[in-house]
Amino acid sequence: MRAPTPLKILAALALVGGVAPPAPAAVHTGLSDAGWSGMWLSGTTATDTTSVVTTLKQVRTAIGADTGTAAGLTGKGVGIALIDTGVAPVPGIPAAQVVNGPDLSFESQSPSLRYLDTYGHGTHMAGIIIGNDAATGTRGIAPGARLTSIKVGTSNGAVDVTQMIAAIDWVVKNRNHDPANPIRIISLSYGTGGNPAVWDDPMTLAVQQAWKAGITVVAAAGNQGNGYGKLTHPAQGTSVIAVGATNTYGTTTTADDELSAYTNLASNGRPLDVLAPGTSIPSLRVPGSNIDQSFPKARSGDTLFRGSGTSQATAVTAAAAALVLQARPALTPLQLKYLLINGTYLSKGVAATLGAKELNVSMALAGAAATGDGAIGESYGTGMLDTTRGSSRVSADGVTLSGQNTIFGPFDTTAWSTRAKAQTTWSGGVWMGYRMAGDGWTGSSYAAKTWAPATWTGGSWGGTKNWTDPGWSGRAWSGRAWSGATWSGRFWSTDDWSSARWG
């Protein structure tokens, strides 16, 4: 492998090292993050300021999206790819505006779980973006956008970094599947525990290829706290909009807004790009999902669920980006990024010290587009997957996936990087020679359009003869809620939300 070449800003931000994976456990049930950057808070005490709810209507006002030109924007004509835990067809999800791309999660092998959100995270994000809950009047920030859901996470969030890379590759390849609503944005509430050198990191290259294809990647900074010292990956790269969360204390003025204590800050000079409301946001609830069962006090009525995190802030930012692109469709990802980061200065606390700005759609609409290509160099993409994974490891029956391997087998990063740049990693439903999905839009689900599934052959790296999980037995979506026992399963992540706070 070549030695690193200075790559302008990219080289300056290069990180080295990684986090050694913890030892696998024999049994695991309940929630695990696998790199998901979300928290769910119930606000159980009167002194818990995070319990002050900020509705999506208040969020829209706070980010300057309900006055002037911005007030008439809905995101119509803009496609957003949500790479997450799937979307459940709860009443607040407008099914006609949802497209189910391939389900790349382990749960794709269960017809009763396929495409659907068993965790409860992805639906919460979708609600922030396009939701329309008649019961409460809650509407998403970009209710006219078209959402393409690519499910990668299971009921406990389990996902390997190679599944994430495959999902990003698929979005790049199929970004124009709906010419009237081309995918222009990826909302990525995922962050690995790795600390890779971005000059050779595969995840960095995958994100860069999306950026080069005209897709703005919005990534969560992580929830480990202001003193964590780094952003989660891929937010630590430069071909993304790295998003931190603010606490808006239930008001629409930005005068009292502060950087949330849970948002990651980096000590290597990589600043957050933008802040957005992300604390105690009510969005769509998935009854019977893992988080719904685990944190019942976070429920807000029958249809909503309160969550806090850079995940929520990322969804807000992705939706805001759709509003700007509706009005200014010729913007490149770089131009859109510069417009979005030029928001409202916050005057309190850590944010004031950092000179951080909060998202403001009206300011972005009025701003002048930057010139130049903003070239910063390109990752080779040939680095070690374990460095990218860091502590975010997926396990099957107690056996942790490691090395240069996908969930199916060997992964040649040199061959992948060449094909990623040529947008040829996918052929139909085959990614890098591994059958992950069907070959086109012939699947069926509640959504307007669905990519076909496929049966995975062989067994997992954990020694199983097939990909069936005994924990799937008896689980079914009734049309409004999940039925079945406590969520647990064969596939899980070695991360256990140790840095998150739960109500």
Side-chain angles (χ1 to χ4, degrees):
M1 183 174 63
R2 286 184 289 178
T5 302
L7 298 177
K8 300 181 182 179
I9 298 173
L10 186 62
L13 294 176
L15 305 175
V16 295
V19 182
V27 178
H28 182 89
T29 61
L31 292 168
S32 65
D33 78 343
W36 296 103
S37 303
M39 301 189 299
W40 306 90
L41 307 176
S42 65
T44 55
T45 68
T47 57
D48 179 6
T49 54
T50 61
S51 67
V52 180
V53 167
T54 300
T55 67
L56 289 177
K57 183 177 180 180
Q58 290 175 310
V59 169
R60 180 143 186 159
T61 299
I63 65 171
D66 69 346
T67 59
T69 301
L73 298 174
T74 64
K76 181 178 175 60
V78 180
I80 301 174
L82 179 66
I83 303 176
D84 214 288
T85 62
V87 176
V90 295
I93 287 292
Q97 288 171 239
V98 177
V99 170
N100 275 325
D103 186 339
L104 307 181
S105 75
F106 299 111
E107 290 176 348
S108 68
Q109 299 308 288
S110 168
S112 63
L113 306 182
R114 186 179 296 142
Y115 309 114
L116 301 176
D117 185 9
T118 54
Y119 193 110
H121 187 281
T123 306
H124 200 269
M125 301 302 106
I128 291 172
I129 298 170
I130 62 163
N132 188 3
D133 181 39
T136 62
T138 298
R139 296 187 76 204
I141 304 300
R146 177 64 63 94
L147 192 76
T148 298
S149 170
I150 300 94
K151 178 178 175 178
V152 292
T154 66
S155 64
N156 61 16
V159 59
D160 184 56
V161 68
T162 56
Q163 291 166 283
M164 292 299 305
I165 291 172
I168 296 170
D169 285 354
W170 184 90
V171 172
V172 173
K173 177 79 170 180
N174 295 277
R175 63 191 182 278
N176 294 316
H177 73 80
D178 180 354
N181 301 275
I183 296 175
R184 300 290 306 277
I185 301 159
I186 292 176
S187 183
L188 201 58
S189 294
Y190 170 86
T192 76
N195 195 15
V198 294
W199 56 265
D200 73 346
D201 172 58
M203 175 70 81
T204 297
L205 180 61
V207 167
Q208 287 174 340
Q209 297 315 299
W211 196 264
K212 288 173 65 176
I215 303 169
T216 300
V217 181
V218 185
N223 297 334
Q224 287 83 0
N226 294 173
Y228 189 60
K230 64 177 182 178
L231 308 186
T232 55
H233 192 55
Q236 62 187 227
T238 55
S239 294
V240 301
I241 298 177
V243 183
T246 58
N247 192 337
T248 57
Y249 300 104
T251 72
T252 57
T253 176
T254 59
D256 61 352
D257 293 0
E258 294 185 280
L259 175 71
S260 69
Y262 54 78
T263 293
N264 288 14
L265 294 177
S267 58
N268 68 336
R270 176 36 166 133
L272 296 167
D273 290 317
V274 70
L275 303 178
T279 303
S280 203
I281 307 294
S283 184
L284 297 178
R285 171 191 170 208
V286 182
S289 65
N290 201 346
I291 59 170
D292 185 63
Q293 289 183 356
S294 300
F295 307 100
K297 291 183 179 180
R299 297 169 186 166
S300 181
D302 293 332
T303 59
L304 301 181
F305 196 87
R306 286 189 295 129
S308 298
T310 54
S311 281
Q312 282 72 16
T314 294
V316 169
T317 303
L323 301 183
V324 177
L325 284 174
Q326 179 188 359
R328 304 178 67 174
L331 291 173
T332 66
L334 181 71
Q335 291 172 328
L336 179 60
K337 176 177 179 176
Y338 285 165
L339 290 171
L340 291 175
I341 66 178
N342 187 30
T344 305
Y345 278 111
L346 298 186
S347 59
K348 292 184 64 178
V350 176
T353 302
L354 296 174
K357 296 181 181 182
E358 191 166 31
L359 186 68
N360 188 292
V361 173
S362 290
M363 293 177 68
L365 291 171
T371 58
D373 61 9
I376 57 173
E378 187 173 76
S379 171
Y380 299 134
T382 55
M384 304 303 293
L385 290 173
D386 281 348
T387 306
T388 306
R389 292 180 178 118
S391 59
S392 300
R393 304 300 182 96
V394 69
S395 176
D397 284 350
V399 180
T400 301
L401 180 63
S402 63
Q404 298 297 83
N405 293 296
T406 72
I407 61 174
F408 300 109
F411 184 60
D412 184 339
T413 53
T414 300
W416 168 80
S417 65
T418 298
R419 293 175 62 176
K421 294 172 186 177
Q423 300 180 14
T424 59
T425 61
W426 279 94
S427 177
V430 176
W431 178 71
M432 294 301 296
Y434 297 113
R435 169 66 70 179
M436 297 190 76
D439 286 329
W441 299 100
T442 59
S444 61
S445 72
Y446 68 89
K449 187 165 66 170
T450 301
W451 192 273
T455 299
W456 294 353
T457 59
S460 75
W461 69 95
T464 59
K465 294 181 179 180
N466 56 52
W467 293 90
T468 301
D469 192 327
W472 295 338
S473 177
R475 295 177 183 167
W477 178 256
S478 67
R480 299 183 70 93
W482 283 108
S483 60
T486 301
W487 295 100
S488 62
R490 165 174 287 160
F491 302 103
W492 54 277
S493 165
T494 51
D495 282 347
D496 287 324
W497 293 97
S498 59
S499 61
R501 294 170 293 166
W502 306 84

